[in-house]
Amino acid sequence: PHLLGYTLPRKYGGAGFDLRTISLISMTLATIDASFTTTLLVQYGLCAESILLCGTEEQRQRLLPPLARLDQMGCFCLTEPQSGSNASDLHTVAVRVPGGYHITGSKRWIGNGLKADCYCVWAKNTSIPGNPVMGFIVERIHQESHTIQTSKIEGKISLRMVQNANVEFKNAFCPDSNVMEDHVGFARSVGRVLEASRVSVGWIPVGVCLGALEKTLEYVSHREAFDAPLSSYQLVQEKLVRITATVFSMYLLIERVTQDFAAGKCDISAISMAKAHNSRMGREVVSTCREILGGNGIVLDYGVASKFCDMESIYTYEGTYDICCLVAGRSLTGFAAIKSPAGLRKKKDRNSIQSKL
């Protein structure tokens, strides 16, 4: 079967694979190029997954097949310039207008965002009390030229093929038919998407490390030093065994989490723990691979330097290492430590002042 739409059911134009197969595909693609895997993750695991989990059946039938076939490019617009890891602190708003909504706000680090056809935008709906977060599918075909403005984020050293963009929405129109109105609030909408996609993200460090290990083994088998192959030296063999064992431990952890998630036996805390662990250990693995290659470890020709750089992005995106640890830590201890006490006091003081005005 083809890999187009490999995360989606067959009835929406996808390949219809189960979660484990989807995860192994993501891992295998990452052994070759994490940029390619990330591009597909944004297309299928974030944009299309948002519609699959939060959209109506009519929206799924209409919007998913062209995304599955790559006839259209999709992106996932959540992160904002001022928020970073505080993803729920959104400033982008949706204002009610005849026939739909006007979306206004800024988004940053949007993969595939430079020339996307379908923007899955998470914004606060000002027409509902409390301004809850909801999903809005903004299609470029419905827009005037000035309502969506994009600029490429230049100068990246990591995931260089991924077209990350700044995206500015200025009264971009979203018709009523593209509003994901059945899932209101951060946890019930975008939170569900991030929970599902983070499983696949936990597999990507495994793939990157397997690719780096393969390139390293190839290098030490041909490279000689002091009249002997590098692979014959004790220190080199110790490092190779250490990183191989680490990669197997990463694999086994995310394999178990994937099985439990598919069976409905784990939540975001276990998924976040696996992502945090694998991205941290992945950093150590690619660093050791680069070390074994010596000076050639920073040259693109040998296939390790790019993986060394790519792992830095993987350590940070889809929940930074620190945030994923704190999500898992909240489950272990019962205490939410993500927000600083100083920030909570500041918010309390601001609310007190507002109540007196």
Side-chain angles (χ1 to χ4, degrees):
H2 61 74
L3 294 182
L4 292 180
Y6 70 92
T7 68
L8 297 172
R10 288 184 182 275
K11 66 177 180 177
Y12 303 126
F17 296 135
D18 60 23
L19 181 59
R20 185 173 185 273
T21 303
I22 291 168
S23 300
L24 291 174
I25 290 171
S26 296
M27 181 195 75
T28 303
L29 293 174
T31 65
I32 303 166
D33 191 336
S35 287
F36 182 60
T37 315
T38 300
T39 298
L40 291 180
L41 173 68
V42 173
Q43 175 83 1
Y44 296 141
L46 290 174
C47 180
E49 190 76 9
S50 296
I51 300 169
L52 182 66
L53 292 178
C54 302
T56 65
E57 183 58 27
E58 186 278 330
Q59 289 167 348
R60 297 184 193 112
Q61 295 284 354
R62 173 167 52 89
L63 297 171
L64 289 179
L67 290 172
R69 297 190 302 266
L70 296 180
D71 291 341
Q72 293 186 356
M73 289 303 295
C75 65
F76 181 82
C77 300
L78 175 62
T79 303
E80 298 189 351
Q82 78 291 336
S83 298
S85 291
N86 189 7
S88 62
D89 182 28
L90 298 183
H91 292 193
T92 301
V93 296
V95 179
R96 199 76 168 94
V97 295
Y101 289 84
H102 275 165
I103 311 297
T104 299
S106 301
K107 300 290 184 178
R108 181 164 171 79
W109 292 112
I110 307 306
N112 303 349
L114 199 62
K115 295 186 181 297
D117 303 289
C118 179
Y119 293 81
C120 179
V121 185
W122 301 96
K124 291 187 174 181
N125 188 338
T126 61
S127 68
I128 298 178
N131 301 337
V133 173
M134 291 177 59
F136 301 84
I137 305 299
V138 177
E139 295 180 273
R140 188 178 285 275
I141 194 172
H142 293 150
Q143 310 305 316
E144 298 179 19
S145 59
H146 66 279
T147 60
I148 302 178
Q149 297 181 1
T150 64
S151 61
K152 182 180 178 181
I153 296 177
E154 301 282 0
K156 296 192 305 173
I157 66 165
S158 180
L159 298 180
R160 288 176 57 83
M161 190 181 82
V162 180
Q163 299 295 297
N164 292 100
N166 298 304
V167 182
E168 185 81 20
F169 298 99
K170 297 181 179 179
N171 291 329
F173 182 67
C174 175
D176 286 329
S177 59
N178 282 7
V179 179
M180 293 185 279
E181 59 187 3
D182 292 338
H183 296 270
V184 178
F186 189 91
R188 293 187 64 240
S189 58
V190 66
R192 297 181 65 214
V193 179
L194 294 176
E195 183 179 70
S197 67
R198 198 165 287 175
V199 175
S200 292
V201 173
W203 284 91
I204 293 177
V206 183
V208 173
C209 290
L210 285 171
L213 176 59
E214 180 183 357
K215 293 294 184 182
T216 303
L217 288 169
E218 179 183 335
Y219 182 85
V220 299
S221 66
H222 294 96
R223 178 77 172 184
E224 291 192 356
F226 303 102
D227 300 320
L230 282 181
S231 57
S232 67
Y233 287 97
Q234 292 179 353
L235 286 175
V236 172
Q237 290 188 10
E238 186 278 333
K239 291 174 183 175
L240 291 171
V241 171
R242 175 156 39 96
I243 61 180
T244 301
T246 300
V247 175
F248 272 107
S249 73
M250 293 162 61
Y251 178 96
L252 291 171
L253 174 60
I254 193 61
E255 166 79 2
R256 177 57 185 267
V257 168
T258 301
Q259 291 177 359
D260 287 350
F261 183 75
K265 296 180 180 179
C266 77
D267 59 11
I268 189 64
S269 60
I271 300 166
S272 296
M273 179 186 68
K275 194 273 179 180
H277 173 81
N278 281 5
S279 61
R280 181 175 72 87
M281 300 312 296
R283 250 180 153 190
E284 292 187 13
V285 167
V286 296
S287 178
T288 305
C289 289
R290 192 224 59 77
E291 178 185 327
I292 292 172
L293 267 67
N296 287 332
I298 64 169
V299 180
L300 291 173
D301 302 29
Y302 296 90
V304 170
S306 60
K307 291 174 171 47
F308 176 81
C309 292
D310 287 346
M311 189 60 73
E312 290 302 301
S313 289
I314 296 164
Y315 184 77
T316 300
Y317 74 15
E318 278 280 335
T320 66
Y321 171 79
D322 291 341
I323 290 295
C324 285
C325 283
L326 292 176
V327 170
R330 180 176 59 197
S331 177
L332 288 171
T333 66
F335 289 101
I338 292 177
K339 292 187 177 181
S340 164
L344 293 175
R345 285 196 299 270
K346 182 178 178 181
K347 182 177 181 180
K348 181 178 180 181
D349 293 342
R350 185 168 61 245
N351 291 339
S352 177
I353 293 171
Q354 290 174 348
S355 67
K356 294 176 182 178
L357 296 177

